[in-house]
Amino acid sequence: MGGTLWLGPLALQGFELPEGIGWGGRQHLAVHRLPGGARVIDALGRDDAPITWHGVFAGEDATTRARLVDLVRADGSVWPLSWAGFFYSVVVSAFRADYARPNWIPYRIACTVLRDEAEAVAAAGL
């Protein structure tokens, strides 16, 4: 993945950027099973999966940058998350770092989606 990924106040670049980002979700459904095998399906709306990725904090400030992401997680606030044409409001629900060396800290992160801001902007323009 090229470019920059923004999570709150932090711009992830270089080794910090993931090779890929897991996103998507499902449609929340209420399925009513009727006699004879018939079904009625009520679509109740989107149910976004957590947005997940992993990378490595590298360089002289690796520890500081990893700790900043952990503070974002511990804060529990809603933060902007953006990359390429994607823009979400998220809460960091999980962050795991494996301290290998002061300048090399692999990490994994999961963000719970509050809102897909890019979709909201597109819908407002319709």
Side-chain angles (χ1 to χ4, degrees):
M1 182 183 131
T4 302
L5 182 148
W6 286 90
L7 175 60
L10 190 63
L12 302 178
Q13 298 176 334
F15 288 111
E16 298 168 351
L17 288 173
E19 290 184 21
I21 298 175
W23 61 279
R26 61 187 208 113
Q27 178 63 232
H28 187 76
L29 301 174
V31 180
H32 309 279
R33 290 168 178 81
L34 305 175
R39 293 181 173 186
V40 175
I41 300 174
D42 294 320
L44 302 175
R46 67 186 292 155
D47 185 9
D48 291 314
I51 297 173
T52 60
W53 72 89
H54 59 90
V56 177
F57 290 103
E60 292 178 10
D61 63 347
T63 302
T64 302
R65 293 176 64 73
R67 289 181 56 89
L68 179 58
V69 173
D70 196 44
L71 289 172
V72 166
R73 175 208 49 89
D75 182 61
S77 293
V78 176
W79 295 94
L81 170 65
S82 64
W83 75 96
F86 297 87
F87 179 31
Y88 295 91
S89 291
V90 302
V91 175
V92 177
S93 52
F95 173 72
R96 295 280 307 176
D98 296 312
Y99 186 91
R101 297 186 301 274
N103 63 345
W104 192 258
I105 302 173
Y107 74 92
R108 295 188 161 287
I109 193 165
C111 297
T112 299
V113 176
L114 173 65
R115 184 173 172 178
D116 181 343
E117 303 293 350
E119 180 183 272
V121 169
L126 294 177

